[in-house]
Amino acid sequence: MRSMWKGSVSFGLVSIPIQLYAATENKNVSLRQVHVADGGRIRYKRFCSIDGEEVPYADIAKGYELPDGEMVVITDADLADLPLPTQHAIDVLEFVPLESIDPIRFDRSYYLEPQKNAVKPYVVLRDALQKASHVAIAKVAVRQRESLALLRVVDDVLVMTTMLWADEVRVPDFPFLHEDPPQVRPQEVTMAGSLIDSLSEPVFEPEKYSDAYREALEAMIEAKAGGGETARVPRQGEKAEVVDLMAALEASVSAAKKSRRPAKTAKTAKSEETKEAKAEDAKPAAKKPARRSKSA
């Protein structure tokens, strides 16, 4: 990993110099636009919509379009003059329980590495957060944009997750929320609960899941690059529309139980056959009926 930002974590009068690393990476396969006839890459030119001239990157600024269509030009110098106190600091504001924050506010996560002279205060903050079972709420500016953020401990490392501001989370306002709720039978809720129980696990294990689309795309690219034939991946059939909710829930519970039932290994099957054979041998033999003697 390469450091993308240097600054410090500041809480109270304590300042901890750190380096910031992106905690996640995008594994999507990158595809380019090309000419289908010869594979040539499609390129775009930056040109001005007023004079039609191509514009070099050095002459490009940012702009804000007003409702009447007029453009307000904003240069890098204008942005540099704006006050941004958190430009090189993660300023801790308060500490709260993690459960009090809805995940809908989470944006991106970063690892914090202490600089050589800051390992001790880093460890003190880390251990104090773990002991308090709290996370720190902070302000930070990354790439000229100030964000709310939270600091928490993951695998003995401080992790910063940027968050959306309160006015950036939309309030759901759908028509069905203002209508009378449908009549739901207790049996349907109970059956839905059974389905949840059937699909429940004690912990989330992300390694169990994979990106099937990306794997198929990579296999197709590899086959094409090698000049071979590409295998067509079978599509999953479309799910039928639910007509009877109760019947659909019952079928779902049944399917979930079957899929979760551990498959018998050859060793297990052989062991069960041996047990059945022994049970048969242990059964008392049926008495044969006495043969009737023929009278002279």
Side-chain angles (χ1 to χ4, degrees), residues 217-269:
L217 179 58
E218 289 173 342
M220 181 185 69
I221 292 172
E222 186 177 352
K224 280 182 171 286
E229 292 294 326
T230 59
R232 184 176 294 276
V233 180
R235 290 178 176 269
Q236 291 186 348
E238 294 185 2
K239 295 183 179 180
E241 184 180 354
V242 175
V243 177
D244 187 331
L245 179 58
M246 194 65 182
L249 287 170
E250 290 175 345
S252 300
V253 171
S254 178
K257 288 180 178 179
K258 288 181 181 178
S259 65
R260 296 277 169 135
R261 191 175 298 157
K264 293 181 181 179
T265 62
K267 186 176 180 180
T268 305

Side-chain angles (χ1 to χ4, degrees), residues 174-245:
F174 304 116
F176 83 94
L177 295 174
H178 307 287
E179 300 170 356
D180 293 334
Q183 294 297 319
V184 178
R185 292 184 295 165
Q187 300 94 318
E188 293 170 337
V189 177
T190 301
M191 189 58 65
S194 299
L195 179 57
I196 292 173
D197 292 338
S198 301
L199 296 174
S200 294
E201 295 291 349
V203 294
F204 172 55
E205 299 177 25
E207 297 81 9
K208 294 194 304 185
Y209 307 98
S210 61
D211 187 346
Y213 177 83
R214 174 162 58 93
E215 291 171 357
L217 179 58
E218 289 173 342
M220 181 185 69
I221 292 172
E222 186 177 352
K224 280 182 171 286
E229 292 294 326
T230 59
R232 184 176 294 276
V233 180
R235 290 178 176 269
Q236 291 186 348
E238 294 185 2
K239 295 183 179 180
E241 184 180 354
V242 175
V243 177
D244 187 331
L245 179 58

Side-chain angles (χ1 to χ4, degrees), residues 48-67:
C48 178
S49 61
I50 295 177
D51 60 21
E53 297 292 327
E54 188 173 353
V55 182
Y57 191 78
D59 293 341
I60 295 177
K62 295 178 173 64
Y64 182 85
E65 187 173 1
L66 299 175

Side-chain angles (χ1 to χ4, degrees), residues 20-223:
L20 195 71
Y21 299 82
T24 59
E25 58 181 332
N26 193 328
K27 290 286 189 178
N28 287 342
V29 178
S30 180
L31 301 176
R32 301 187 182 277
Q33 289 187 327
V34 297
H35 187 192
V36 69
D38 54 19
R41 287 181 58 181
I42 303 299
R43 298 187 181 276
Y44 297 91
K45 293 183 179 181
R46 298 182 178 90
F47 68 94
C48 178
S49 61
I50 295 177
D51 60 21
E53 297 292 327
E54 188 173 353
V55 182
Y57 191 78
D59 293 341
I60 295 177
K62 295 178 173 64
Y64 182 85
E65 187 173 1
L66 299 175
D68 60 1
E70 185 179 351
M71 194 70 66
V72 178
V73 178
I74 301 173
T75 65
D76 291 340
D78 294 329
L79 294 174
D81 290 338
L82 295 177
L84 197 59
T86 57
Q87 188 168 6
H88 294 288
I90 302 171
D91 189 14
V92 175
L93 307 174
E94 61 181 359
F95 297 90
V96 300
L98 179 59
E99 297 77 16
S100 66
I101 305 172
D102 195 300
I104 197 173
R105 300 189 180 277
F106 295 165
D107 190 12
R108 300 198 65 181
S109 294
Y110 304 87
Y111 291 128
L112 305 186
E113 178 195 28
Q115 296 183 23
K116 290 184 178 180
N117 61 342
V119 174
K120 184 175 180 179
Y122 180 98
V123 171
V124 169
L125 176 59
R126 181 197 69 187
D127 293 351
L129 280 175
Q130 282 185 315
K131 186 176 181 180
S133 299
H134 275 48
V135 297
I137 300 298
K139 273 187 177 183
V140 63
V142 179
R143 297 192 179 101
Q144 293 295 317
R145 185 182 187 274
E146 190 172 57
S147 300
L148 272 179
L150 68 86
L151 299 180
R152 60 193 178 100
V153 182
V154 178
D155 296 332
D156 291 333
V157 175
L158 287 177
V159 173
M160 180 185 78
T161 300
T162 53
M163 296 193 297
L164 303 174
W165 296 100
D167 59 357
E168 292 181 312
V169 178
R170 294 172 173 171
V171 178
D173 187 20
F174 304 116
F176 83 94
L177 295 174
H178 307 287
E179 300 170 356
D180 293 334
Q183 294 297 319
V184 178
R185 292 184 295 165
Q187 300 94 318
E188 293 170 337
V189 177
T190 301
M191 189 58 65
S194 299
L195 179 57
I196 292 173
D197 292 338
S198 301
L199 296 174
S200 294
E201 295 291 349
V203 294
F204 172 55
E205 299 177 25
E207 297 81 9
K208 294 194 304 185
Y209 307 98
S210 61
D211 187 346
Y213 177 83
R214 174 162 58 93
E215 291 171 357
L217 179 58
E218 289 173 342
M220 181 185 69
I221 292 172
E222 186 177 352

Side-chain angles (χ1 to χ4, degrees), residues 264 266-283:
K264 293 181 181 179
K267 186 176 180 180
T268 305
K270 187 174 181 180
S271 175
E272 290 184 359
E273 289 177 1
T274 304
K275 288 181 182 179
E276 289 177 1
K278 287 182 179 179
E280 287 293 330
D281 293 341
K283 288 181 181 179

